[in-house]
DNA sequence: ATTAAAATAACCTTGTTTGGGTGATACGTT
DNA sequence: AACGTATCACCCAAACAAGGTTATTTTAAT
């Protein structure tokens, strides 16, 4: 069976036991092969371009440069590789930074061997594999706070303000008078207990009112 | 075996064949039961609160009020139910509106019966089940355009502007002079070919520069 | 080591925007 | 009848935005 058609995988993970466990898992699975395996980004940087992997399994807690910060650099070295984060960390900030930096999937380390293999396959097929809890957090990030004190119109106007539009322009686009927009804004400020555009936007975003 | 511990499911789907197919699938699977089954939101609205389902399978293309718009209303009727979208549509706008309105998962209709069952289970366990392609789109929505014409500092400043902060405040928070902020903004406007804050923010967001 | 790109800053002008106070009208729903 | 919501009016002073031009200092890439 030709190994050229196999999906080639690189691993960047500092824990030797885990790294070799993954390498063994992937190496013995038909259709998959290991192109390289490194304990840090610095080590990977030298050779990974030649490895030319299809998928990179990346840990977030690495010695030296962190996995999160390594993502854009890996993208430059191997632009067509998919990066799959594999980590114990489930902090929202980390997840969103990883995805924002260009990761195509995010798995936690309790993921079963079969699921890791299927995630590698899935990412090659245009999917975005995530552990269940991660997926929920990602979905949750799209959702609004139902208990907003703002009325529908106030919310609409605050959203417009958050796009940088002036009150005058908002008035024109909503076909209402500038004075009306000002009234709404005053009410918004009172309800949110703020005294400026920036603070209103911040409070509203923090509380998912917009 | 007690049916009280079963996961109870409601279905809102206008196509009778599909609806009854799902109902049969769920009804015959141990651990799951059908609490109700309706061809439209209007029909569901009358009885679904009494059904008190754990999970609602919801189609997006319904006669009368659309599935998307039904989500917030269903949330009011059955606040603790998880809503799973089950549809043929894969348009980004629809997906993000559904998730933003409170859906906890999004499956396409080619999903296998086994995966539908496991998605229902997953959503009860705190997951966010999505079809592979949907998950990729969701992840993609977090990612920036790598080909931005803006420098790091310009990007940073435009992000600050997008939070509604004044140039003066940005200068203070970045420990640079107001004149420097103004210089950066002029350069941003030139690069993006715009002449206002609002246009710069819109262009940058549309192109995922910020 | 050199060069190019990026970040920094100054000085100018004009018109617009913002935040705040106070009050009033109209329209639904409860 | 009372309430929340959306609408509009008139007042004020301070801050802000957009545009022009030029120039220096860092920092990163070759």
């Amino acid at each position: 069976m030709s190994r050229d058609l196999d999906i080639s995988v690189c691993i960047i993970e500092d824990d030797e036991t885990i790294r070799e466990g993954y390498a063994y898992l992937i190496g013995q699975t038909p259709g998959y092969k290991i192109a390289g395996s490194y304990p840090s980004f610095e080590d990977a940087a030298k050779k990974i371009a030649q490895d030319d992997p299809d998928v990179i399994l990346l840990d977030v807690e690495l010695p030296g440069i962190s996995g999160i910060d390594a993502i854009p650099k890996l993208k430059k070295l191997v632009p067509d590789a998919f990066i799959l984060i594999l980590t114990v960390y489930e902090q929202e900030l980390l997840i969103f930074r990883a995805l924002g930096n260009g990761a195509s999937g995010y798995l936690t380390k309790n993921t079963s061997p079969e699921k890791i293999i299927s995630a590698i396959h899935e990412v090659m097929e245009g999917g975005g594999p995530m552990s269940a809890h991660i997926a929920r957090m990602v979905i949750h990030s799209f959702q609004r706070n139902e208990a907003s004190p703002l009325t529908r119109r106030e919310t609409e106007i605050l959203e417009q303000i958050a796009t940088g539009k002036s009150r005058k322009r908002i008035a024109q686009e909503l076909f209402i008078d500038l004075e009306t927009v000002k009234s709404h804004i005053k009410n918004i400020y009172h309800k949110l207990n703020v005294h400026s555009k920036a603070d209103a936007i911040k409070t509203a975003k923090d509380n998912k009112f917009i």
Side-chain angles (χ1 to χ4, degrees), chain A residues 150-196:
Chain A
L150 304 181
T151 68
R152 189 173 296 179
R153 196 56 149 177
E154 286 163 357
T155 304
E156 187 179 13
I157 285 173
L158 190 49
E159 273 166 354
Q160 294 294 307
I161 290 175
T163 70
K165 287 175 189 157
S166 73
R167 299 163 175 203
K168 192 173 164 187
R169 188 164 161 192
I170 294 170
Q172 285 164 355
E173 292 182 9
L174 296 184
F175 306 106
I176 56 179
D177 197 277
L178 170 59
E179 288 301 327
T180 307
V181 175
K182 287 171 70 176
S183 274
H184 284 305
I185 292 174
K186 282 172 215 173
N187 292 333
I188 292 168
Y189 286 10
H190 283 139
K191 284 183 181 179
L192 301 187
N193 212 319
V194 297
H195 307 276
S196 74

Side-chain angles (χ1 to χ4, degrees), chain A residues 114-167:
Chain A
E114 308 85 60
K115 286 217 172 132
I116 290 175
I117 294 294
S118 75
I120 294 171
H121 181 256
E122 198 178 319
V123 85
M124 292 289 294
E125 298 289 313
M130 286 175 271
S131 299
H133 187 223
I134 306 292
R136 170 65 67 89
M137 282 196 273
V138 165
I139 287 179
H140 189 79
S141 76
F142 288 100
Q143 298 174 350
R144 293 260 179 94
N145 185 348
E146 296 167 56
S148 171
L150 304 181
T151 68
R152 189 173 296 179
R153 196 56 149 177
E154 286 163 357
T155 304
E156 187 179 13
I157 285 173
L158 190 49
E159 273 166 354
Q160 294 294 307
I161 290 175
T163 70
K165 287 175 189 157
S166 73
R167 299 163 175 203

